[in-house]
Amino acid sequence: EEELKFPGEDPTHKIIYHFNKADDEYHLAVLNTVRNMLRKYGDDITIVVSVMGPGIHLLLKEPVKPVSKAARDQAESLAFYGVKFHACGNTLKALHKTDKDVVDYASIVEVGVSDLLEHQQKGYAYISW
């Protein structure tokens, strides 16, 4: 039987996705699994998508590399339902981008790889494609 969670109670499940490619098929595949995890666990999961390298274009207001409307819409929808998107600060610097260039629902972390490490140290399952 599924146990109910009370508001503010920590979710049982924690997962962080490593999102680092600029390919639409990849974007949609990863975002679909994020959506499926959210559907399965509802409010009993915390999901972080750590976006870096070529994947960063998903989170740019004006991406340099193509990002489909379907991927952008799905990411925004997932964020609305509580999925956290982290943009790698080092990648942004390399592209001469600032926080003003990043979509509003994303947070900037200093180093994307350290984001992955620190979340794993906190018990998050690490998923990479």
Side-chain angles (χ1 to χ4, degrees):
E1 272 185 52
E2 190 173 320
E3 191 175 315
L4 294 176
K5 289 285 182 186
F6 292 96
E9 192 174 348
D10 287 338
T12 305
H13 309 285
K14 302 180 288 187
I15 190 167
I16 187 162
Y17 285 84
H18 186 177
F19 193 99
N20 65 341
K21 296 179 185 168
D23 169 80
D24 193 53
E25 189 174 319
Y26 169 85
H27 290 176
L28 293 173
V30 174
L31 294 171
N32 282 333
T33 66
V34 171
R35 185 185 69 228
N36 290 337
M37 293 299 285
L38 195 56
R39 281 185 181 159
K40 178 172 175 66
Y41 294 106
D43 65 353
D44 195 21
I45 190 166
T46 298
I47 301 173
V48 177
V49 180
S50 191
V51 183
M52 62 196 73
I56 201 73
H57 298 279
L58 177 73
L59 299 180
L60 294 179
K61 291 177 183 173
E62 296 182 27
V64 178
K65 294 188 179 192
V67 177
S68 72
K69 181 173 177 0
R72 292 180 73 79
D73 289 349
Q74 191 165 4
E76 186 173 3
S77 175
L78 290 167
F80 178 80
Y81 284 101
V83 174
K84 299 171 185 154
F85 286 84
H86 292 178
C88 174
N90 279 347
T91 301
L92 293 171
K93 284 179 192 172
L95 294 174
H96 307 289
K97 303 290 183 186
T98 69
D99 58 335
K100 291 177 175 66
D101 299 305
V102 176
V103 295
D104 294 336
Y105 60 83
S107 302
I108 297 173
V109 296
E110 185 179 357
V111 179
V113 174
S114 70
D115 189 40
L116 296 171
L117 169 68
E118 291 164 10
H119 278 82
Q120 287 178 79
Q121 290 173 334
K122 294 176 186 173
Y124 281 68
Y126 167 72
I127 305 298
S128 178
W129 245 256

